[in-house]
Amino acid sequence: PNQFDGLAESDTPAPPSLDELPDDDPGVTPTRTERPLPTDDTDTDGEIDPTDDTDTDDTDGEIDTDGEIEPETDTDSESEPGIDTDSEPEIDPDSEIDPDSEPEIDPKAASLAATRRRLHRLWTHQRRPHPLAKAVPAEATASIDALGTWVSEHESDPVLRVKLLHDWVALNVRYDVPSLNDGSYTTKQRAERVLRDRTGVCAGYANLLVALGEVTGDEIVYVTGDTRAIDGPGHAWNAVRIDGAWTLMDATWDAGSVGDDGFEARYSTAYLFAPPSAFLLDHFPDDAGWQLREDPLTRGAFLRQHPIRPRFHQDGWTLLTDGRSPLPVGQTFQVNLTNTRGREILVKVDGSERECRTYVRNGMHTAHCVAERRGPQVVHLYDSAPDDEMYWGMGDLQVTASY
């Protein structure tokens, strides 16, 4: 049983019905932490720091109040070959035409689709905190009601209001490692106490967001499940409905990570509005309905995915190599990927002192790797923006070498 199940302060409603699920998930191919918070990875060579999920994207610090990304304009005015743009289509004079007829458009469906597209654009493009997340006055944090009221008064857009709630919690609540280790955390996860102490474990983060949503009028629910840790104790996060569209968020994992020296704060948006297929790379809810998929994954399918993090897809990467896990390989093998964000890749086989040789050709990134031993092993993936000297961990591939 999930040990965070009984720590919710409010009843979790039934998950959404099939007609409420997203039908425009961008199609990320689904690919448990030692604690409910990700642990730091090891810096293998002094240059790679895979522990930090801080975004190095070059977007500016301002929030696009529309949440929209301007599409690229096509400046080519020439018509396509074989298409006469000046001629009018032939009309059968005997056909009946209703001049008042128009294609039927379901306003609700169109609105839901627009909201989901906006959420996805925010997930892929806006990595910085809401500007107001660091501007909340101290007196507005004295209580749940005070904080929720301040947020409502200063942010009317429901999408950006939920982002503001997530960002404030992720930036201001520290993960309570000592309480998790000694078992005393079970009495400390009520929303008011988490707000007062500014500490909590995953249940506290999730409870605080539910309570704040009750004040702001945002429908935020408490969800429990597992992560990809082998012996993890379970985890808790949130689902939220915005303008009728359900999405997911995990302020705990977006707050930082746990290392040898305890909690290290490091803001991220990898788990804010991530599409279900990306969120399911490392989160598996107890109730399959909170997968927000029409075809829920089984636990076996969840665990057979490569342990890739959502930010792999957030940064625009697509894996072209066979997605089976573990992937059968020979002594030498290659990993093929594409990227839509102009980022660079670094690949290393666990235990090897050498990086895989990488090059880009015709838009495809290829890493040539050598398995220095037989049997199961892990291939680490790191990426970087072109102007960033650091490479950041974004997940692993599991392979089995036989030769």
Side-chain angles (χ1 to χ4, degrees):
N2 192 319
Q3 68 189 64
F4 299 106
D5 234 349
L7 299 183
E9 287 192 73
S10 57
D11 293 334
T12 299
S17 58
L18 287 179
D19 60 354
E20 295 179 284
L21 298 181
D23 55 6
D24 56 351
D25 189 324
V28 173
T29 302
T31 29
R32 252 154 59 98
T33 60
E34 189 173 309
R35 296 190 175 98
L37 195 68
T39 55
D40 285 346
D41 297 314
T42 302
D43 186 347
T44 55
D45 62 8
E47 294 183 0
I48 302 170
D49 183 2
T51 67
D52 192 340
D53 279 344
T54 302
D55 180 73
T56 54
D57 193 88
D58 57 359
T59 54
D60 59 36
E62 296 298 319
I63 296 287
D64 178 358
T65 55
D66 293 328
E68 300 290 341
I69 305 300
E70 288 295 329
E72 295 183 5
T73 56
D74 185 359
T75 56
D76 185 2
S77 60
E78 297 183 6
S79 60
E80 297 183 21
I83 298 179
D84 183 358
T85 57
D86 295 326
S87 63
E88 297 183 1
E90 295 183 4
I91 299 176
D92 182 357
D94 297 326
S95 64
E96 295 183 3
I97 299 176
D98 181 359
D100 297 325
S101 66
E102 294 183 0
E104 292 187 5
I105 299 176
D106 182 348
K108 180 179 179 181
S111 176
L112 284 174
T115 299
R116 288 169 184 146
R117 286 194 298 271
R118 185 182 178 199
L119 292 171
H120 188 258
R121 290 189 182 104
L122 279 173
W123 179 64
T124 55
H125 288 80
Q126 184 50 254
R127 312 296 181 83
R128 300 183 186 277
H130 192 298
L132 295 177
K134 297 181 179 180
V136 182
E139 60 270 18
T141 65
S143 68
I144 298 289
D145 285 341
L147 180 55
T149 299
W150 190 94
V151 168
S152 294
E153 291 175 347
H154 289 80
E155 182 55 83
S156 59
D157 183 305
V159 172
L160 298 182
R161 186 169 58 242
V162 171
K163 174 175 171 57
L164 176 53
L165 291 175
H166 163 278
D167 292 353
W168 190 91
V169 171
L171 289 169
N172 289 279
V173 177
R174 294 185 60 81
Y175 194 78
D176 193 354
V177 178
S179 291
L180 183 72
N181 290 340
D182 65 24
S184 64
Y185 68 89
T186 57
T187 62
K188 302 176 180 178
Q189 304 312 307
R190 295 184 66 83
E192 286 286 0
R193 177 159 184 170
V194 174
L195 178 64
R196 182 194 71 194
D197 296 346
R198 300 290 201 276
T199 61
V201 297
C202 57
Y205 285 80
N207 277 331
L208 180 54
L209 282 166
V210 171
L212 289 169
E214 290 174 353
V215 178
T216 60
D218 297 296
E219 186 177 358
I220 303 175
V221 301
Y222 182 101
V223 179
T224 60
D226 295 316
T227 60
R228 286 185 63 93
I230 296 175
D231 56 354
H235 190 42
W237 59 91
N238 296 103
V240 54
R241 180 155 54 180
I242 306 175
D243 288 340
W246 281 102
T247 185
L248 300 161
M249 61 181 177
D250 186 346
T252 311
W253 281 21
D254 279 340
S257 59
V258 172
D260 294 338
D261 297 326
F263 175 71
E264 182 177 353
R266 187 175 292 114
Y267 171 83
S268 166
T269 60
Y271 297 93
L272 175 63
F273 307 148
S277 50
F279 209 87
L280 279 167
L281 292 171
D282 48 21
H283 286 62
F284 189 78
D286 294 328
D287 187 329
W290 291 115
Q291 293 187 27
L292 303 185
R293 291 169 56 104
E294 293 188 8
D295 55 340
L297 292 182
T298 64
R299 183 175 294 275
F302 169 71
L303 293 173
R304 284 193 295 271
Q305 299 176 111
H306 288 291
I308 293 173
R309 302 175 188 174
R311 70 176 298 268
F312 175 88
H313 298 289
Q314 190 184 34
D315 281 344
W317 291 101
T318 298
L319 180 66
L320 302 181
T321 299
D322 189 331
R324 288 177 294 169
S325 175
L327 177 66
V329 299
Q331 183 174 11
T332 62
F333 61 96
Q334 64 184 36
V335 178
N336 298 317
L337 314 96
T338 59
N339 185 261
T340 60
R341 305 288 302 276
R343 298 181 72 87
E344 300 172 354
I345 188 80
L346 186 153
V347 182
K348 290 191 68 174
V349 179
D350 190 43
S352 173
E353 295 183 358
R354 296 182 298 173
E355 302 168 4
C356 300
R357 182 170 59 87
T358 60
Y359 62 86
V360 182
R361 182 176 298 163
N362 297 326
M364 183 171 72
H365 297 250
T366 298
H368 286 276
C369 302
V370 177
E372 298 181 356
R373 57 182 173 81
R374 295 181 176 88
Q377 45 208 294
V378 175
V379 179
H380 302 297
L381 305 176
Y382 309 93
D383 85 329
S384 173
D387 57 350
D388 189 0
E389 297 181 356
M390 299 292 289
Y391 280 79
W392 314 101
M394 57 180 178
D396 305 317
L397 302 180
Q398 298 169 323
V399 304
T400 299
S402 57
Y403 53 89

